[in-house]
Amino acid sequence: MNFFWEEFTMDMAWFDEMEGRIPHGEVRTRFAPSPTGYMHVGNLRTALYTWLIARHGNGKFILRIEDTDQGRLVEGATEIIYSTLRQCGLDWDEGPDVGGPVGPYIQTQRRELYGKYAQLLVEKGGAYYCFCEKTESEEDAGDFDRADDPCRDLPLEEARARVAAGEPYVIRQRIPRGGQTTFHDAVFGSITVDNDTLDDQVLIKRDGLPTYNFANVVDDHLMGITHVVRGSEYLSSAPKYNLLYESFGWEIPEYIHCSPVMRDAHNKMSKRHGDPSYEDLLAQGYLSPAVVNYVSLLGWAPKGENSEREFFTLQELSEVFDVAGISKSPAIFDREKLNYFNAHYLRAMAPEEFYAVAEPYLKEAVHAPQVDLKLLAPLVQGRCDTLRDIAPQVDFLDALPPYSNELYCHKKMKTNEENSLEALNAVLPVLEGLESWSYDAIHDALVGLAARLELKNGRIMWPVRTALSGKAVTPGGAVELCQLLGKEESLSRIRKGIQQLS
């Protein structure tokens, strides 16, 4: 591997030009996902907090695609990232598709500059060329003792000559021997580590691509990132990030490490264990605003007058979000709590909004041509935690299920099999004689019948509802079900009820 510089001559004017492009004087955050698959809940939370910090500070939110790990790339994953962020309302000010002053915003398109900065770091003494043949598995396992790396103390001129001769190499960070490194995190406070516990990590691999850690630092600096939000699993890497910034003489951004989102008290959420991605949650009938609202509270709590508040629009979150509200403790993903949030959002929708999101689920569940789905939608709106709850409530509209006569027996309505049969026999000719099959006409006919028989309405309505649905619980009562099913189907089901009770 040889980089494109000539005879190791540093073009300092180029570095000065790069420095001159960096925006200053504003909050700048970035979400930098790897296109390796779906957007899991923890990833979405990182994106959300990053966006909120930028919007709260009237700053810029940058989207950067980190695709240097070519072996793990998944086709279509970048489109999933774009789609998820847009659906969640997390718009970006700079990114691969919108451009910006410090692009490109895809790491593999920035490949050449990492080599230059690695060379600059070698010149500054913060890195060195390493020619040792070590496998990636040894690197990952930490089996290679960095303190004994024979290449660390090679004279620079000798190392340059070996590079010029075409010998394969990596570039490693030169961690100081002895002493300590302290870094500050907005959530976990100041943390000090002994330098002898840190390894001389690889910065540039043999294929010329940077490692994740090195590319992150270079890109964050060149993009003027002021706040870095990431998972707490990166706390152990933060000292090495600090040492890189210090070796370059760069300003260190504010670190915000977030504890993981857990399935339970002992296990992190994982797709391997069936935990849902954002896309899975949408497919399971959750609304995007409800998911975003719930995820915002997974490890963060508002302060002051909003401390007891649960429901926020995205705009409201951007106004009240404060890094000080992020907790050190892991957050538990609670499906029941998410259901509670989603039910609130469903109930709060205007009828036309609800119908727009419910229509596909209604059409999937009900195929009877006479059923007006726009009349049905308001009946289920207040009964759903998720949109997937619609089908089990309305499946009887397509076909009357088998049911037990015990359903006719209702203590509160004072109905039993015998008087239910009497009620249906009385109802049938009344409904047969209706010329208008409207809600008001059906209602007046059934209520009028109860009055003539000197019965409470429930003595008539409950048997009719049971005969029409074959269920103990239905969206809407007898009148609504008659209207939905239409005259012919309603009368047919009442006759079946009479036959079954006879």
Side-chain angles (χ1 to χ4, degrees), residues 194-246:
D194 294 327
N195 289 333
D196 60 13
T197 65
L198 307 176
D199 65 328
D200 286 4
Q201 66 178 342
V202 173
L203 305 180
I204 298 290
K205 298 177 287 187
R206 290 196 172 204
D207 60 6
L209 283 173
T211 56
Y212 170 85
N213 288 332
F214 186 58
N216 245 268
V217 168
V218 172
D219 287 341
D220 285 346
H221 172 70
L222 293 179
M223 293 183 178
I225 303 304
T226 58
H227 299 70
V228 173
V229 183
R230 55 183 169 233
S232 58
E233 65 269 25
Y234 291 104
L235 276 170
S236 61
S237 299
K240 292 185 277 193
Y241 295 149
N242 262 36
L243 289 169
L244 284 172
Y245 280 109
E246 291 170 359

Side-chain angles (χ1 to χ4, degrees), residues 5-6 27 44 64 85 98 100 104 160 238 243 266 281 284 298 311 323 335 375-376 390 400 410 415 422 426:
W5 58 82
E6 188 174 339
V27 171
L44 175 58
R64 187 173 76 219
L85 293 179
V98 298
R160 285 174 175 168
L243 289 169
H266 306 289
L281 292 174
Q284 291 164 13
L298 284 176
F311 300 107
V323 170
R335 179 74 72 152
L375 291 178
L376 177 58
I390 291 175
L400 182 68
H410 195 292
T415 59
E422 294 172 354

Side-chain angles (χ1 to χ4, degrees), residues 369-383:
Q370 79 275 20
V371 176
D372 187 338
L373 299 182
K374 288 188 176 179
L375 291 178
L376 177 58
L379 302 180
V380 298
Q381 182 171 1
R383 295 171 170 267

Side-chain angles (χ1 to χ4, degrees), residues 8-26:
F8 299 97
T9 300
M10 302 299 293
D11 182 2
M12 297 311 297
W14 181 85
F15 290 105
D16 291 340
E17 180 184 340
M18 295 297 289
E19 290 293 312
R21 295 172 58 193
I22 300 173
H24 297 282
E26 63 180 357

Side-chain angles (χ1 to χ4, degrees), residues 424-450:
L424 293 182
N425 275 318
V427 163
L428 185 59
V430 170
L431 293 184
E432 285 176 332
L434 281 184
E435 294 183 6
S436 169
W437 197 258
S438 66
Y439 177 93
D440 289 340
I442 298 166
H443 175 271
D444 292 348
L446 294 179
V447 171
L449 175 63

Side-chain angles (χ1 to χ4, degrees), residues 61-114:
F61 175 65
I62 293 110
L63 176 61
R64 187 173 76 219
I65 302 298
E66 301 197 338
D67 60 344
T68 53
D69 190 351
Q70 294 285 296
R72 295 179 60 234
L73 299 187
V74 173
E75 186 176 354
T78 300
E79 286 67 35
I80 290 175
I81 292 167
Y82 290 156
S83 173
T84 299
L85 293 179
R86 288 193 179 103
Q87 288 181 78
C88 293
L90 307 183
D91 57 319
W92 51 98
D93 303 290
E94 301 171 25
D97 57 335
V98 298
V102 289
Y105 294 88
I106 297 177
Q107 278 192 336
T108 49
Q109 295 176 11
R110 302 168 64 83
R111 174 173 178 157
E112 292 184 342
L113 65 84
Y114 302 119

Side-chain angles (χ1 to χ4, degrees), residues 447-469:
V447 171
L449 175 63
R452 289 196 302 276
L453 297 176
E454 297 183 345
L455 298 173
K456 289 189 175 181
N457 290 341
R459 282 280 304 277
I460 296 295
M461 299 295 189
W462 184 259
V464 172
R465 182 162 77 163
T466 301
L468 294 179
S469 68

